[in-house]
Amino acid sequence: MAATIKDIAQRTGLSLATISKYINGGNVLEKNKLAIDAAIQETNFSVNEAARNLKMKRSGYVGLLLPALNNAFMMDIVNKIQYDVRMAGFGVALCCLASTSDTESKEEEKKAVKFLMQKGVDGIINLPMNEDGAHLLEPLEANIPITLIDKQIITLASRVNAVVIDNVGACRLATDELLNAGHRDIAALFGAQDNYTARRRYEGYMDACRQRGFEPNEKHTVFADKYNKAGGYEAMKSLLHSGATAVLATNSGLTTGALRVLLEAGLSIPDDVSVVGFDAPGDQPGKQITSVLQPTEKIGTVAAEIMCENLRAIAQGRHFVPQLRTLRASLVRGSSVQTK
Amino acid sequence: MAATIKDIAQRTGLSLATISKYINGGNVLEKNKLAIDAAIQETNFSVNEAARNLKMKRSGYVGLLLPALNNAFMMDIVNKIQYDVRMAGFGVALCCLASTSDTESKEEEKKAVKFLMQKGVDGIINLPMNEDGAHLLEPLEANIPITLIDKQIITLASRVNAVVIDNVGACRLATDELLNAGHRDIAALFGAQDNYTARRRYEGYMDACRQRGFEPNEKHTVFADKYNKAGGYEAMKSLLHSGATAVLATNSGLTTGALRVLLEAGLSIPDDVSVVGFDAPGDQPGKQITSVLQPTEKIGTVAAEIMCENLRAIAQGRHFVPQLRTLRASLVRGSSVQTK
DNA sequence: CGCCTATCGCGAAACGTTTCGCTCTTTTCT
DNA sequence: AGAAAAGAGCGAAACGTTTCGCGATAGGCG
């Protein structure tokens, strides 16, 4: 049905090789150029990507593999990457995991990588669940470029790209905001302890405290197993009567969960308790929570950029070296912190 | 590098045809089965999808084409479809438009369809911007199954699937909630008048009013050109001093925009003004807005289901008839409506 | 004028599958 | 036992590209 390169060859009296060359930007006599263009117009020809892919051993797709798609952070990143990658001519094969449990997710992530490999994606952008990076070994063997986002995998650092935010600095920023306001009894909520990001943020928290020469109360620090709303809810609940005058919630889920507890307890913010969150939905009508804002768009752009550059390098047989890009997060002040 | 069917043939002493047949579920002598399985194990073989796609004239991808990815409604749908479609063995090629203006979006949508066609997707799931459906003519000619979500395109009704919600009923539900509470002066915010969904919701609103035998005040009704937060903000602003005792905001953006205005005006909900919204972020800490909730997961599941069924039918040479599925939305009561 | 070099075009093989039509073997039925 | 039917396997062609290596044509130069 659809026209092929063969049809163009017949119509123009040229050979397959010549048509192919022209299509791919090669040089051809002016009159042949015209003839080919005309034939392409008439037949409404467009190259068959499947055939091209077979020959070229590529697929024209980039896999985008995320642990979930249920919050604004992920959404913004997906949106940006999807767009930038597409503008570069690649398709985006989206894989967002569905499991809620950590161990299940890890298993699911491995399966997803297999799926993407089977689909033959040319590259993978991944916000990893498996922090050991075992799931990435196979694509790495196959020489498929990988760009990690949000988390670095240390053992793979020399082989994969990564675009992360300065978690230590970000959390230091958030902590300082409370410390500057005079708070010392801070209920500090972190993600699970085996989570890279959570650990870095804890580090930033400790840094900030120690810089003031004070050792935070361990009793007020909790690492939530679930880093979602439920986790934040439970964690905050357990700290409700701890005497803390401020709350530091170090990710989006924890923040929403914690806020809900405070609200249900009838506490008023910031009069009864000050709050600094992460990625707090700043978009809602109502009280604005002072919160660390991650540069999601930038993360997406940079990840896409690196990936496309890698892909171009591979196509041209050039070499490339994995990059690490660290982006800075900013603090957006709302009205949730009161000087003590 | 990677093993091919040829390698398996050599190792087992069988022919290409036989290996292919076995791989695709055909019958083969028990001892050959074993031999093939062994060879596959040893060589870590897996079929080359590019080659298979070329031969079979398919790509193994479904295009998912949305006007944007910047709200929970879209996110939930993407998430669900992505998952279900993947479980059926297809990849999802995500295309979310970036334009903010209507006309630009329509142009962008056409381009996106071209992109997906070029990529050779096997089917397209689309929340359409171009309500005339012109952008879908080409894939339709090419016999690519199409599933519309959220909006039906009447002129294409016999050729495409559609899964929509009962907009009329949903808006009637919302309106009744205010009417039942005794409100008669309702500031009613709708999307642009050339928008299918907006019109249906307006219809539902009018239905509900007329059923009570009263004709709503036209002055209190506005069709916002922008159906986002900004649109809601402007629209509400223009109605602030209209004397309305209640607000009906008929989509997510309008709802947030309107709420912001009320908040800034220092009005308290529901004491000063009652509010019923659509897709109001019910997830936030703070006051719950009574709101219509769309069955996003269900929409996703049904759309994926229909698409995969279509694709299976095509693969097996079966015929299929386009379906229309209408889903019901529900009203979630918060504390934003007060009896007058 | 003749040689060297660029430039352009071509034929053919290759990428890794699936499938058609055929042969050969085995089973089933009468 | 013999014929028919069913089951397995095979060779070869096809899907639509890209690319290698070679021949031909034309232009530049001494």
Side-chain angles (χ1 to χ4, degrees), chain B residues 291-304:
Chain B
S291 159
V292 171
L293 197 70
Q294 304 200 55
T296 46
E297 294 225 337
K298 182 85 183 179
I299 294 177
T301 313
V302 173

Side-chain angles (χ1 to χ4, degrees), chain A residues 205-226:
Chain A
Y205 169 66
M206 295 302 282
D207 274 13
C209 290
R210 287 180 178 152
Q211 202 156 15
R212 314 259 167 163
F214 107 92
E215 194 70 19
N217 185 345
E218 285 291 335
K219 294 253 171 65
H220 291 175
T221 300
V222 13
F223 293 88
D225 286 343
K226 308 243 164 290

Side-chain angles (χ1 to χ4, degrees), chain A residues 14-15 17-18 27-29 32 54-55 57:
Chain A
L14 295 167
S15 77
T18 307
N27 260 336
V28 151
L29 288 187
N32 289 339
L54 169 59
K55 189 65 191 176
K57 296 183 184 304

Side-chain angles (χ1 to χ4, degrees), chain B residues 221-247:
Chain B
T221 298
V222 13
F223 293 88
D225 286 343
K226 309 244 163 289
Y227 40 99
N228 53 20
K229 208 172 51 182
Y233 190 88
E234 280 174 41
M236 191 65 243
K237 205 107 189 178
S238 75
L239 289 179
L240 234 197
H241 304 293
S242 65
T245 63
V247 174

Side-chain angles (χ1 to χ4, degrees), chain A residues 116-131:
Chain A
L116 290 174
M117 291 299 292
Q118 180 60 32
K119 285 282 169 214
V121 293
D122 300 337
I124 297 179
I125 300 179
N126 177 216
L127 196 167
M129 283 296 301
N130 289 280
E131 298 194 8

